[in-house]
Amino acid sequence: MHGAGSTFDGTAHHGAGAPQGSPMDGTALHPGEVTGELVALDAPLSFWGGTDRHTGRIIDEHHPQRGVDLAGRVVAMRAGRGSSSSASVLAEAIRAGTAPAALLIAEPDAIIVLGALVAAELYGRRLPVVLLDELSYAALPRHGVAEIEAGDERAVVRIREAHR
Amino acid sequence: MVTLTDEERAMLGGEHGDAPALAMRIVTGLARVLGAQRLIPVAAAHVDGCLYHGPAGLDFAERLVELGGKVTVPTTLNVGSLDLMHPGLVRGDDELRANGRRLMDAYTALGATPTWTCAPYQAGHRPAAGEHIAWAESNAIVFANSVLGARTGRYGDFLDICAAITARAPYAGLHRDEDRRGEIVFDLTALPPVVLGDELLCPVLGHLIGKRVGTRVPVITGLPGSTDEDGLKALGAAAASAGGVALFHAVGLTPEAPTLEAALGGGRPGETVRVTPDMLDTAHDELSTAPGDRLDAVSLGTPHASLSECARLAQLLAAGPPLHGDVAVYLSTSRAVLAEAERLGYAATCRDAGVRIVTDTCTYVTPVLAPGTRVVMTNSAKWAYYAPANIGVDTILAGLDDCVASAREGRAVRARRWVDV
């Protein structure tokens, strides 16, 4: 188990870039280990009606990031929104390979977790879902590469700068 | 930490078979996310998973069938992607038609009753007050909790059928007394009688409430005592579309709200909103996206029309001139209500006037409206909320009499604004 404090854990600062973020502790709502490009959403998203299951893009006309591709990326959104049919749409996106690689959320979301649970049962594919506390969520950078290690209970999220 | 009974543990361990074990993994997985400490037996289930959203939903239902799954409590089915009574009505591509049908067949094979309606409460399935159930579909959930006083969480795809197989749901949220207390009050006492007597009050108020409360439990004071079940249905459906409302209390009308104090569970409201005609007009405008008077179709019956709504439509149609040939009128209802409407002659009156009756599905979730349909009038705030994004039409929200008048004239007849009355 990871300790409660993650601020003074001696994480080294690498190279000449900006300081690396310390690892963040979170609650694992669904397990899995992935690394992917971080995309932070400015508004909650309903997978049903909000994403195209064939491409992974945001299609909700009212969403500020309409057109952004979520497939294979680590998606941070404060909360899920809308229809319970989103569980089916997310499970389908996981099957089709158009789902995010992982989800970071700040409010527990049963619908998202159901989609992840069912896809794991049916296809053995894992989409880790991590619940961060408000402080950690607010400290997430806008961009970077996110490494997720989510176990049965706890999760660790590390963000490093994207190499361009 | 979820504590299971011996029987639940046996189910999880596969002693009742592979399907109950899979279903129990999903139910306990969800219980963990919801912070439930135990499960609760449920007496009935309503399943929304029978609407096709892609192969994964079909794979899940067919996996349960393959594993020998059967529901163990009375289970009703929400709308599917096809109208099985009126083949050819739903267009759709080959995938939707083939897989939509397979999905409906899989849920029937699991032992659920093929009711194919979002309003099982109009088809004789009415859980008792205080009864724990696992219902899916947002309008059915809010109706069961608010109007019937039964207890269900906001369940949806996957959890619904797993609860039906295990007869269990996570003991969390609206299953518990403390989560059913009103948190925000909407006071209608300042509204003039003409607004309070308008049939559009319920759907428009529902939309206003949904936008304002998120997932808090609203309490309404001042809703007329004459408000019927159709009005409460429209209010709840609208609030559950624009917001996450799964329970509302209407003082003097719903079972857990004999008084304002009872509805608040002895607590104090976090906020009180005094509803004005201006606020209602704004909410109404949000649901009417079409600018002019062009009209291509009228869609009625979302949620599915009750027998009294069918009767009222038949009465309006019988009393006046014929419908304009250029406006298609659709009425969605359940098989159960249609059978009664046939017996009483309402269905024949509607059909003779040119109304197309839709069962088993709904006009905003599957391709029914003719290609080229751009502007649709509806008396449903829920339909008006979802249709623009779902099927790409503009909407006009109006009362049933204005819907019929518009269908006769071939152009949109709009109601006056409430702020001016």
Side-chain angles (χ1 to χ4, degrees), chain A residues 110-133:
Chain A
I111 290 166
I112 287 173
V113 174
L114 271 176
L117 272 170
V118 167
E121 288 281 352
L122 290 177
Y123 311 114
R125 293 190 187 171
R126 289 194 157 176
L127 182 151
V129 182
V130 178
L131 177 69
L132 295 173
D133 63 30

Side-chain angles (χ1 to χ4, degrees), chain B residues 44-50 71 73-79 107 111-121 123-127 134-136 140 160-161 164:
Chain B
H46 180 65
V47 168
D48 189 25
C50 42
V71 304
V73 293
T75 301
T76 45
L77 290 170
N78 206 63
V79 299
Y107 277 103
T113 310
T115 44
W116 311 129
T117 182
C118 56
Y121 48 84
H125 301 276
R126 295 171 73 93
W135 273 23
D160 48 15
I161 187 63

